[in-house]
């Protein structure tokens, strides 16, 4: 069955029209993809998430963008003053995209120097031998975006990459973002995935690679709000050089299959990672976050906070791993995962892991699973607030701290009402949490 | 304002309040005193409709309405306010959010227009000043990391903003030092008016030096065993409760 | 400081002697005939043999688990001898006076003189030497209270109904690779039955020892606490010092019926191998208990031995309001590897579990906590609290935490906390500045680190555990 799907993907790759200079990379990707053993429920990394939605479908490559621009697309884009690249069904849509600085380019438009940068950095941070769907991404590599900032360069505006699916059919879309920050460079990036069609049954496989140079700083945001029927397999790979900073934020609803991996390596001492995540599956949605933070060198710090509110008969998985290598003395690493189940059928499986081979470190992790606090509910109803509104306010309160931590003000303002509406579908229920 | 007739109430099938009757008229302050375990806090909880506190018989009339027939939030919107003995912490929900939602709910229930955000902010700032809480508390999570005294003052601040007609203070004085106690009392006294009543539940007579009651009731074993004026409180302070319990037995 | 630590670590295994007793040992190898031999040797009824053969057939279809965070060379199950008994077993001693003096001497060396224990501690001891239960002291006194405490080989004959009903009821034959093997070849172990409403008048205790070369030990323990009863059971283990690895694959099943309480304590000091990682016991053990309504099972373990440990004492909280507890200290040094923890399976309403795990890694050892907390969809109001702390001593060891939390009920509350730290220089300095030598300081800090667990142990075990830790650690601050 499974190996069959691996073959199917190779057949799809053969149908693609390809940029010639990417051929070698694709071939490497295809051999890595085929050498992977297809995961089963016994494969630890896929213990709680089934790949059947991928296996049980005859996939086709996504089409070129529709002629008519999706009307709703514009209104769903994040209102943010940014350099914007919009992909519709995997194809770059020039009309929806903005003017770009020289440092930001789609693979198709890359000049010779930029092609060299891409070839040099592609799959250097992401390991396609260990990440199954990264190998698939390279196998199908065609479209992609490069952000390359040279030494001490700083972008005026954030970079906003949006991926829109607007069709209700089983198409695979491959998304790839490569960020290379030379030493001292600074950037803010927002990646945003959504469907304009509720019945979108498409599958996006999205890989982001970030090479953050010495003393460079990257703020990265990944917003996953596809339709319930959509499939998403994605990963963010980050390598941090000396004193580099990565500040990550991720938000996802659930869908038939949604699996997002973060793999971050501290490769230079003094680097700092802050990673915050929110998952909000409801109805029958599934969402699965796997994070792995490797401390390879001394004196680095990690703070990771993930919170989930799981409603209806949704199911969430969080697997957070912190791995301290033998030389990574003086590491400070903390991880916290808290989950709120708001219905009898909701489920969560959480697995915070510490793997520590150095002794002079301070590491801690905590995980909790609970429901809305009865005391708090009563307290609020005793203040005249309806129980329904109190539930919405409490659910929002559970993740609010992480939303408040988003530094891009425009993104924060955009997020608040959308998150609120995932808890309460009417304005009546959300009006006290959506404010300026 | 409030008429309790022959109230019996139980918690987890255990009868705590037995045949209690009490009449509170507009503008009055009633102090309820009594030894530990007498049912003082139960009374506040039953009045506010806390789940698990069940009135098994008797009636409670609140401004002509059947109180026992109302959900907790409706009671609150009608103007019943309970200042909790142990206010819970609600991380993530800011004081301001909670208050705005609460005040909006009460105002729209009583047919008043909602306050604009600016007017509300102004009011909230004044209220926080009145109870000596820094404005930063408005932005913090509800009671999150507050000290005991700060929590109690926060309760009084909420009470001011909600402008209730019946205020129930459940051992608001417990754990407060004298300065904080005065702040609380000042807040309560400022709110006294001919159409607002108070039920002050306390274990200590000290509070009543600052909030002078019209009536003092002694609760023992789930019923009111003695009522009087403020001099009763002084008598209790001097003699303790045991003489009363003996008298009743 | 690290030199002192090194010295401390280098302390030798004190239980590593071997006793010369004439014994009867099967040649290495496993097939149906071996199982028939074991069964015949014990004069077992037909149903017991059938049960073993069934397990053997299941075992043949299974594969060794590989998911644990441990590495060891492949085990050749045909090179192990599956039965060894002191020869004098044939005329089994009726009382302590008849026990082979060499054997008594062995126990004395181990620090568990039977006489003394009898006299002073009032502990009833079932001693399992290699595969055979040698003697059960204090039997008469227990029988007065209606408590059955005997070798399981004897229980098969005397209490076949109880054995048939409960053997394999908590750990089924096909549960895992090692438990299946144990079902096929177990040679002896303890059987305990506490009747309704009886509070067992004394602590019950078993000592296990692997003596012969190339033998595996496959003991089987079955404890049934009937409604409203109470029992505390202690288990201790040692093995002689040998260059070859030896296999220990035990199964322990606990059944706590309504309102019953079982407290099961283990001090495990199997030979851990030498400082170069040569030799030592492979300790692959399955321990599990089931709690009926309002019952309670409490596992306490102090693990300092074995080359490789693979062990997850677990509780199935089936009955409403039942309670499971797991208190563990696992210390690894030199090349030891431990992958240990617990499983708390919450099925009943308002079930509660507590997990306190303290891992200490020194030398080049690897020490992993692996735990599962599962809140089933019927576990309304269930609660779990888990605290996992790791202490690192030296910079070449590893400490790992792999908790699995699965919740399918919104009113179930799970809290998990874990920390990893080292014995800090500041702590050491403060102790030293108050006049303590480094050894004392380390042992104090480590003992303090483990206090929550030690206080769960019965008194005489707590003392032993503290000493063991000191011996296993001596010299370990980097």
């Amino acid at each position: 069955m499974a190996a069959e799907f691996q073959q199917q993907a190779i057949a799809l790759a053969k149908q693609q029209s390809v940029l010639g200079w990417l051929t070698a990379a694709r071939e490497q990707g295809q051999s890595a993809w085929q050498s992977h053993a297809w995961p089963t429920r016994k494969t630890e990394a896929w213990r709680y998430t089934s790949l059947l939605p991928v296996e049980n479908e005859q996939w086709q490559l996504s089409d070129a963008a529709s002629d008519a621009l999706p009307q709703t697309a514009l209104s769903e884009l994040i209102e943010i003053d940014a350099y914007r690249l919009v992909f519709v069904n995997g194809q770059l849509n020039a009309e929806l995209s903005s003017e770009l600085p020289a440092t930001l380019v789609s693979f198709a438009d890359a000049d010779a120097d930029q092609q060299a940068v891409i070839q040099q950095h592609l799959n250097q941070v992401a390991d396609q031998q260990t990440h199954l769907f990264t190998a698939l991404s390279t196998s199908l590599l065609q479209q992609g975006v490069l952000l390359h900032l040279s030494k001490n360069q700083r972008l005026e505006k954030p970079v906003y990459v949006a991926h829109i699916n607007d069709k209700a059919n089983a198409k695979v879309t491959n998304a790839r973002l490569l960020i290379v920050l030379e030493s001292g460079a600074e950037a803010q990036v927002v990646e945003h995935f959504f469907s304009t069609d509720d019945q979108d049954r498409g599958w996006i496989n999205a890989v982001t690679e970030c090479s953050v140079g010495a003393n460079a700083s990257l703020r990265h945001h990944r917003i996953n709000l596809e339709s319930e029927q959509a499939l998403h397999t994605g990963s963010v790979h980050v390598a941090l050089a000396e004193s580099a900073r990565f500040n990550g934020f991720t938000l996802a609803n659930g869908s038939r299959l949604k699996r997002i991996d973060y793999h971050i390596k501290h490769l230079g001492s003094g680097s700092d990672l802050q990673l915050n995540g929110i998952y909000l599956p409801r109805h029958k949605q599934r969402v699965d976050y796997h994070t792995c933070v490797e401390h390879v060198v001394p004196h680095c710090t990690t703070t990771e906070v993930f919170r989930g509110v799981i409603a209806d008969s949704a199911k969430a998985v969080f697997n957070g791993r912190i791995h301290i290598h033998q030389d990574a003395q003086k590491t400070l690493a903390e991880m916290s995962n808290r989950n709120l189940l708001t219905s009898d059928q909701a489920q969560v499986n959480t697995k915070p892991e510490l793997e520590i081979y150095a002794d002079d470190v301070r590491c801690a992790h905590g995980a909790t699973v609970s429901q809305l606090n009865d005391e708090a509910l009563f307290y609020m109803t005793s203040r005249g607030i309806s129980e329904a509104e109190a539930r919405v306010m409490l659910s929002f309160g559970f993740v609010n701290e992480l939303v408040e931590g988003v530094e891009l003000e425009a993104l924060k303002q955009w997020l608040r009402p959308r998150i609120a509406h995932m808890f309460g579908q009417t304005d009546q229920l959300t009006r006290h949490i959506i404010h300026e | 304002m409030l008429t309790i007739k022959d109230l019996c109430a139980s918690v987890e099938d255990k009868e705590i309040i037995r045949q209690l009757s009490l009449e509170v008229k507009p503008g009055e302050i009633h102090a309820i005193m009594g030894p530990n375990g007498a049912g003082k806090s139960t009374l506040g909880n039953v009045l506010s409709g806390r789940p698990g506190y069940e009135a098994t018989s008797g009636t409670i009339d609140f401004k002509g309405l059947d109180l026992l027939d109302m959900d907790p939030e409706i009671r609150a919107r009608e103007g019943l306010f309970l200042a909790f003995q142990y206010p819970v912490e609600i991380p993530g929900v800011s004081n301001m959010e909670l208050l705005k939602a609460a005040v909006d709910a009460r105002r729209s229930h009583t047919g008043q227009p909602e306050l604009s955000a600016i007017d509300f902010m102004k009011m909230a700032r004044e209220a926080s000043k009145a109870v000596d809480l820094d404005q930063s508390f408005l932005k913090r999570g509800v009671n999150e990391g507050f000290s005991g005294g700060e929590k109690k003052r926060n309760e009084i601040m909420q009470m001011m903003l909600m402008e209730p007609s019946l205020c129930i203070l459940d051992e608001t004085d417990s754990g407060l030092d004298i300065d904080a106690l005065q702040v609380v009392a000042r807040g309560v006294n400022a709110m006294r008016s001919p159409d607002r009543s108070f039920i002050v539940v306390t274990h200590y007579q000290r509070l009543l030096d600052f909030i002078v009651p019209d009536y003092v009731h002694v609760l023992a074993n789930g019923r009111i065993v003695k009522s009087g004026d403020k001099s009763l409180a002084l008598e209790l302070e001097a003699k303790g409760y045991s003489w009363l319990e003996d008298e009743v037995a | 400081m690290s030199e002192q630590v090194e010295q401390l670590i280098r302390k030798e295994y004190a239980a590593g002697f071997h006793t010369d007793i004439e014994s009867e040992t099967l040649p290495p190898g496993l097939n149906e005939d071996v199982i028939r031999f074991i069964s015949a040797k014990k004069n077992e009824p037909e149903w017991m043999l059938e049960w073993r053969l069934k397990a053997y057939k299941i075992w043949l279809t299974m594969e060794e688990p590989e998911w644990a965070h441990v590495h060891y060379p492949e085990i050749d199950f045909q090179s192990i001898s599956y039965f060894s008994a002191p020869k004098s077993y044939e005329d089994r001693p009726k009382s302590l006076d008849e026990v082979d003096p060499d054997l008594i001497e062995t126990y004395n060396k181990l620090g568990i003189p039977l006489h003394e224990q009898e006299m002073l501690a009032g502990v009833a001891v079932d001693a399992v030497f290699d595969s055979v239960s040698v003697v059960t002291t204090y039997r008469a006194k227990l029988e007065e209270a209606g408590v059955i405490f005997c070798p399981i080989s004897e229980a098969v004959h005397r209490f076949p109904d109880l054995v048939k009903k409960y053997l394999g009821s908590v750990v089924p034959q096909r549960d895992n690779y090692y438990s299946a093997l144990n079902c096929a070849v177990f040679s002896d172990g303890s059987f305990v039955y506490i009747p309704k409403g009886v509070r067992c008048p004394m602590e019950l205790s078993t000592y296990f020892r692997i003596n012969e070369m190339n033998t595996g030990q496959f003991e089987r323990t079955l404890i049934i606490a009937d409604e409203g009863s109470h029992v505390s059971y202690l288990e201790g283990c040692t093995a002689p010092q040998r260059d070859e690895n030896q296999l220990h694959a035990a199964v322990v099943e606990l059944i706590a019926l309504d309102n019953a309480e079982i407290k099961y304590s283990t001090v495990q000091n199997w030979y851990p191998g030498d400082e170069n990682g040569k030799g030592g016991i492979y300790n692959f053990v399955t321990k599990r208990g089931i709690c009926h309504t309002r019952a309670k099972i409490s596992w306490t373990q102090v693990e300092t031995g074995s080359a490789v440990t693979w062990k997850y004492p677990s509780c199935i909280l089936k009955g409403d309001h039942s309670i499971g507890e797991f208190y563990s200290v696992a210390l690894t040094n030199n090349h030891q590897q431990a992958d240990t923890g617990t499983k708390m399976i919450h099925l009943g309403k308002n079930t509660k579990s507590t997990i306190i795990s303290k891992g200490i890694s020194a030398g080049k050892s690897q020490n992993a906590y692996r735990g599962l907390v599962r809140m089933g969809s019927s576990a309304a109001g269930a609660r779990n609290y888990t605290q996992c702390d790791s202490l690192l001593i030296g910079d070449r060891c590893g400490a790992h935490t792999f908790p699995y939390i699965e919740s399918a009920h919104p009113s179930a509350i799970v809290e998990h906390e874990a920390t990893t730290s080292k014995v800090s220089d500041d702590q050491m300095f403060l102790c030293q500045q108050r006049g303590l030598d480094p050894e004392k300081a380390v042992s104090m800090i480590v003992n303090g680190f483990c206090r929550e667990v030690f206080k769960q142990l019965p008194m005489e075990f707590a003392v032993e555990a503290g000493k063991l830790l000191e011996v296993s650690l001596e010299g370990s601050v980097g």
Side-chain angles (χ1 to χ4, degrees), chain A residues 81-359:
Chain A
D81 182 21
Y83 300 116
R84 187 161 86 184
L85 287 128
V86 178
F87 290 82
V88 180
N89 301 327
Q91 309 300 320
L92 184 64
N93 183 311
E95 267 179 78
L96 288 176
S97 302
S98 71
E99 291 266 320
L100 301 180
T103 50
L104 182 63
V105 68
S106 99
F107 283 6
D109 301 328
D111 63 26
D113 288 347
Q114 288 168 323
Q115 288 177 12
V117 170
I118 294 167
Q119 278 165 327
Q120 184 195 339
H121 287 277
L122 202 68
N123 293 319
Q124 293 308 300
V125 179
D127 178 1
Q128 44 185 2
Q129 304 303 328
T130 51
H131 289 271
L132 176 67
F133 287 105
T134 299
L136 178 64
S137 163
T138 320
S139 303
L140 299 176
L141 195 59
Q142 182 188 33
Q143 289 272 5
V145 174
L146 169 72
L147 170 64
H148 178 205
L149 296 189
S150 48
K151 193 174 171 186
N152 294 336
Q153 201 177 3
R154 188 175 159 179
L155 274 188
E156 289 302 304
K157 295 196 269 186
V159 173
Y160 175 27
V161 184
H163 284 273
I164 307 170
N165 264 19
D166 75 336
K167 289 199 181 148
N169 52 16
K171 300 285 165 94
V172 198
T173 305
N174 205 27
R176 190 93 184 199
L177 173 61
L178 178 62
I179 299 173
V180 179
L181 302 188
E182 309 277 352
S183 69
E186 279 178 39
Q188 302 190 74
V189 175
V190 179
E191 286 190 87
H192 181 203
F193 301 86
F194 66 98
S195 322
T196 54
D197 186 329
D198 289 348
Q199 297 306 311
D200 167 27
R201 294 178 62 80
W203 170 20
I204 296 190
N205 183 40
V207 174
T208 304
E209 273 187 277
C210 312
S211 168
V212 188
N215 207 28
S217 163
L218 177 61
R219 273 183 192 282
H220 176 263
H221 313 77
R222 197 177 201 277
I223 313 296
N224 275 89
L225 296 170
E226 300 95 336
S227 90
E228 249 170 47
Q229 295 303 318
L231 273 49
H232 186 101
T233 49
S235 51
V236 177
H237 307 262
V238 183
L240 295 172
E242 197 176 312
S243 301
R245 282 145 347 251
F246 180 85
N247 197 310
F249 173 83
T250 175
L251 167 76
N253 63 358
S255 59
R256 267 198 305 149
L257 167 66
K258 186 162 290 178
R259 165 63 176 258
I260 300 166
D261 287 36
Y262 272 79
H263 194 156
I264 293 139
K265 290 180 188 162
H266 289 277
L267 299 177
S269 64
S271 60
D272 176 65
L273 164 69
Q274 170 91 43
L275 180 61
N276 291 343
I278 301 173
Y279 44 94
L280 305 170
R282 53 200 168 114
H283 305 145
K284 286 178 158 177
Q285 299 167 4
R286 303 279 179 269
V287 62
D288 180 347
Y289 268 104
H290 268 59
T291 71
C292 176
V293 178
E294 288 190 63
H295 283 259
V296 182
V297 294
H299 291 287
C300 298
T301 49
T302 292
T303 311
E304 183 179 342
V305 181
F306 270 78
R307 297 217 175 142
V309 180
I310 301 106
D312 308 323
S313 43
K315 223 170 153 177
V317 177
F318 174 77
N319 189 121
R321 179 156 171 261
I322 293 180
H323 181 158
I324 315 285
H325 290 254
Q326 195 175 328
D327 291 335
Q329 301 294 2
K330 308 283 179 193
T331 291
L332 297 179
E334 269 182 42
M335 173 168 60
S336 147
N337 172 235
R338 293 177 59 199
N339 297 280
L340 195 62
L341 300 181
T342 60
S343 117
D344 281 355
Q345 276 81 45
Q347 279 190 41
V348 64
N349 295 312
T350 168
K351 194 175 153 215
E353 301 175 52
L354 290 172
E355 204 168 333
I356 299 174
Y357 297 91
D359 73 326

Side-chain angles (χ1 to χ4, degrees), chain C residues 10-308:
Chain C
R10 264 192 236 117
K11 182 84 186 231
E12 279 174 19
Y13 186 65
F17 54 88
H18 162 244
T19 311
D20 279 319
I21 296 177
E22 221 186 324
S23 65
E24 183 177 16
T25 303
L26 262 187
L30 182 56
N31 52 46
E32 287 201 11
D33 290 341
V34 168
I35 293 163
R36 286 177 201 283
F37 173 86
I38 295 170
S39 187
K41 202 75 198 159
K42 311 228 154 233
N43 200 17
E44 281 178 355
E46 188 62 22
W47 59 267
M48 195 66 242
L49 174 63
E50 290 303 320
W51 197 80
R52 287 175 180 278
L53 290 172
K54 186 179 159 205
Y56 176 67
K57 286 188 186 112
I58 291 168
W59 179 71
L60 287 176
T61 66
M62 297 176 87
E63 280 173 25
E64 245 181 295
E66 283 173 354
W67 41 262
H69 196 275
V70 292
H71 304 279
Y72 52 90
E74 208 178 324
I75 298 172
D76 179 1
F77 288 89
Q78 294 304 335
S79 70
I80 296 169
S81 165
Y82 290 85
F83 188 82
S84 169
K87 212 155 211 168
S88 50
Y89 169 79
E90 297 294 342
D91 8 65
R92 198 179 168 122
K94 303 294 177 291
S95 78
L96 274 181
D97 301 335
E98 293 176 33
V99 172
D100 187 332
D102 278 355
L103 204 55
I104 299 282
E105 185 53 26
T106 303
Y107 290 123
N108 283 330
K109 281 194 211 161
L110 288 171
I112 42 153
L114 300 185
H115 285 293
E116 259 184 66
Q117 290 218 354
E118 241 185 331
M119 306 294 290
L120 301 174
V123 174
V125 176
D126 185 14
V128 178
F129 194 85
D130 283 338
S131 302
V132 172
S133 184
V134 180
V135 65
T136 305
T137 56
Y138 258 97
R139 189 183 281 188
K141 183 160 182 198
L142 289 170
E143 277 175 5
E144 252 169 63
V147 172
I148 302 167
F149 180 35
C150 68
I152 198 160
S153 55
E154 187 181 322
V156 167
H157 293 284
R158 290 177 56 203
F159 313 102
D161 293 344
L162 283 173
V163 175
K164 267 193 220 170
K165 182 169 178 190
Y166 290 110
L167 189 71
S169 69
V170 189
V171 181
Q173 288 163 311
R174 61 175 66 255
D175 188 78
N176 67 71
Y177 189 78
Y178 305 113
S179 72
L181 179 63
N182 174 287
C183 290
V185 304
F186 78 87
S187 32
D188 220 328
S190 299
F191 175 84
V192 176
Y193 173 78
I194 316 290
K196 270 185 200 172
V198 169
R199 209 182 157 86
C200 187
M202 62 188 70
E203 312 263 2
L204 303 182
S205 172
T206 299
Y207 260 86
F208 295 109
R209 176 159 177 89
I210 300 179
N211 195 51
E212 285 303 308
M213 222 187 290
N214 299 328
T215 32
Q217 177 145 330
F218 306 94
E219 83 273 0
R220 182 108 197 170
T221 301
L222 179 58
I223 300 177
I224 304 149
D226 212 330
E227 291 172 21
S229 68
H230 177 285
V231 63
S232 170
Y233 187 91
L234 323 171
E235 173 196 70
C237 328
T238 56
Q241 198 164 334
R242 294 192 184 285
D243 286 348
E244 305 80 22
N245 295 110
Q246 285 175 290
L247 178 64
H248 174 246
V251 172
V252 176
E253 293 179 282
L254 309 184
I255 294 109
L257 297 173
D258 294 358
N259 298 303
E261 184 176 341
I262 302 176
K263 190 172 166 64
Y264 195 105
S265 314
T266 304
V267 174
Q268 186 264 106
N269 184 28
W270 295 120
Y271 179 53
D274 68 12
E275 62 194 46
N276 298 314
K278 192 158 193 206
I281 301 286
Y282 293 156
N283 191 33
F284 302 147
V285 173
T286 306
K287 292 182 167 179
R288 193 176 304 152
I290 187 162
C291 285
H292 292 267
T293 305
R294 290 187 199 276
K296 176 176 172 185
I297 288 180
S298 180
W299 297 102
T300 304
Q301 61 173 24
V302 176
E303 303 271 320
T304 60
S306 298
V308 179

